[in-house]
Amino acid sequence: MKLYCISLILLVAVGYAFGVNIALNADTQQSSTLRGIYTSDRAVDGDTGKMFFHDTCTHTNCHDKDPHWTVCLGNMTSISSVTIHNPDYARGRLRNIRIDVFQTNPSQPGAVAMPCGSVTSTPVTDGTEMTFTCPSNTVGRYIRISKTTMEKSQRGWHQHHQYMCDALLLCEVEVTGKPSITCPTGFMMNRGSCYHFSTVGVNSWFEARDACQAMGADLVVINDQMENNFIEMQLAGLPGNMDYFAGLHKLNDGVTWMWIDPNAMMGVSVGGNNNGMAFSDWRGNQGLNPNQRCMRLQFVNMQMGYSWFNVDCTPGMRTQYICEISPTYPMQPRQKCF
Ligand SMILES: [Ca+2]
Ligand SMILES: [Ca+2]
């Protein structure tokens, strides 16, 4: 179980770092489909084969005056690059192409295009792929690839070696990027996560969690030392030296501490204290009491600031709480695409 979770974290981390294709099997649409065969989903089926007649490529209708293809990534994404795999039989049609990113459905009024890249009238060599790096801060949910100008001599099949059907053909479109979020009202952003520090106390850790979830968040998961430093710095600036619940609790074995985010479980040393490899910030012998199964950040003194304490989940006095929305937790509901 533990190994599985560790490999999952590594996969996610490696994915974002080394460019896993986030468009794979995403929702797609195109302006038209030649003979109903060369469907839009073929460009995100994971098959980058470029043999047009044997592999999995898209093709719009020859009569289409405005050929375009759109992929929806579900949630708001910070997009790094777009790679287009061009068929071997493209006949130079991968030209006069633009790639735009949209935050809303590009087919609906009011959609604003953020340019990511373009191909001029010089065609991309048949059977090759081309990667376009989007400008930094390109954030959106939709990517549209469209032809900017159509070949005028649509009648001249034999003239100038041009194919009469100037359609949009894509064997595969790969996208790299990472989830992006904007913070709701009452939350502050730090390193790509959103935080809310409560202004009212609750009676139990469970009530605190409910309160966070009611805001579309969850109790804070402190993934590393930098995040811990940020939180303790914020708490030091808040009045009253109050105590704050976080999303760390102990399993029924009375020993194992778990973050509420299953992907973060390796972040806590088992059995309390700071003597493990993993990250924790227990004060003294805190974390060891088998009966106190919830963690809260408590003010120690002016010099120490805040530390982690184990407490009863219903501690008998009202406690504040910290909520977080991170790009990976809680899972954001996938928004409707088309
Ligand atoms: Ca394909
Ligand atoms: Ca976190």
Side-chain angles (χ1 to χ4, degrees):
M1 178 64 187
K2 199 168 190 181
L3 258 178
Y4 168 77
C5 284
I6 291 169
S7 53
L8 192 71
I9 296 162
L10 289 177
L11 265 180
V12 169
V14 166
Y16 291 145
F18 294 101
V20 155
N21 174 21
I22 56 172
L24 185 64
N25 297 321
D27 286 348
T28 55
Q29 274 189 346
Q30 65 185 6
S31 50
S32 60
T33 299
L34 181 68
R35 294 203 291 275
I37 299 168
Y38 300 90
T39 49
S40 63
D41 58 310
R42 287 178 152 213
V44 292
D45 62 2
D47 186 343
T48 57
K50 299 175 194 53
M51 290 167 60
F52 183 69
F53 289 109
H54 297 99
D55 282 325
T56 54
C57 307
T58 70
H59 193 316
T60 56
N61 271 339
C62 293
H63 308 299
D64 195 333
K65 292 279 187 290
D66 178 24
H68 54 81
W69 176 93
T70 309
V71 61
C72 170
L73 302 169
N75 293 323
M76 223 43 111
T77 307
S78 179
I79 296 161
S80 311
S81 73
V82 178
T83 299
I84 297 178
H85 293 260
N86 191 24
D88 60 347
Y89 230 61
R91 292 175 181 268
R93 277 173 293 191
L94 192 57
R95 66 173 143 181
N96 299 321
I97 301 266
R98 56 180 296 159
I99 303 166
D100 294 304
V101 173
F102 296 80
Q103 300 207 341
T104 57
N105 187 344
S107 297
Q108 300 293 323
V112 179
M114 286 165 280
C116 169
S118 59
V119 183
T120 60
S121 55
T122 307
V124 174
T125 310
D126 289 0
T128 62
E129 69 250 28
M130 192 168 182
T131 296
F132 304 85
T133 304
C134 303
S136 55
N137 304 323
T138 303
V139 174
R141 293 178 59 217
Y142 298 84
I143 299 168
R144 172 166 285 188
I145 298 172
S146 42
K147 301 227 48 156
T148 50
T149 51
M150 301 296 290
E151 199 53 56
K152 289 196 184 78
S153 56
Q154 291 235 335
R155 302 156 66 84
W157 166 269
H158 294 294
Q159 291 171 3
H160 318 298
H161 298 287
Q162 274 163 5
Y163 188 34
M164 65 186 292
C165 174
D166 189 20
L168 180 63
L169 283 68
L170 304 164
C171 283
E172 193 74 6
V173 177
E174 295 174 306
V175 178
T176 63
K178 56 181 196 292
S180 164
I181 47 167
T182 48
C183 294
T185 311
F187 283 73
M188 65 160 70
M189 168 113 34
N190 182 62
R191 290 169 72 216
S193 265
C194 306
Y195 301 89
H196 170 82
F197 298 88
S198 76
T199 50
V200 290
V202 291
N203 292 319
S204 73
W205 184 87
F206 306 99
E207 275 181 45
R209 194 167 184 198
D210 286 346
C212 290
Q213 288 178 342
M215 291 185 277
D218 210 328
L219 281 170
V220 67
V221 172
I222 306 176
N223 300 79
D224 55 33
Q225 186 68 54
M226 272 177 84
E227 189 172 14
N228 198 55
N229 293 348
F230 161 76
I231 286 161
E232 293 186 359
M233 208 177 76
Q234 294 301 316
L235 294 183
L238 293 173
N241 301 332
M242 312 278 254
D243 305 327
Y244 291 82
F245 280 127
L248 183 59
H249 64 144
K250 202 179 259 187
L251 297 187
N252 286 336
D253 64 4
V255 176
T256 311
W257 287 95
M258 285 271 285
W259 289 108
I260 50 176
D261 176 0
N263 292 328
M265 71 177 288
M266 69 182 284
V268 190
S269 62
V270 174
N273 283 325
N274 294 316
N275 49 11
M277 284 275 290
F279 164 75
S280 65
D281 189 22
W282 298 110
R283 167 82 174 156
N285 287 333
Q286 292 292 320
L288 293 172
N289 188 325
N291 299 315
Q292 299 193 315
R293 297 186 177 177
C294 284
M295 187 274 264
R296 113 184 147 176
L297 288 116
Q298 286 183 204
F299 182 76
V300 181
N301 57 44
M302 286 302 287
Q303 214 172 11
M304 299 289 297
Y306 277 83
S307 269
W308 298 8
F309 285 73
N310 52 215
V311 292
D312 287 338
C313 296
T314 306
M317 57 180 287
R318 290 179 79 79
T319 299
Q320 310 283 318
Y321 51 91
I322 308 164
C323 311
E324 181 186 6
I325 306 172
S326 82
T328 53
Y329 192 86
M331 292 295 288
Q332 302 300 304
R334 204 164 180 280
Q335 292 167 9
K336 193 174 175 294
C337 279
F338 296 112

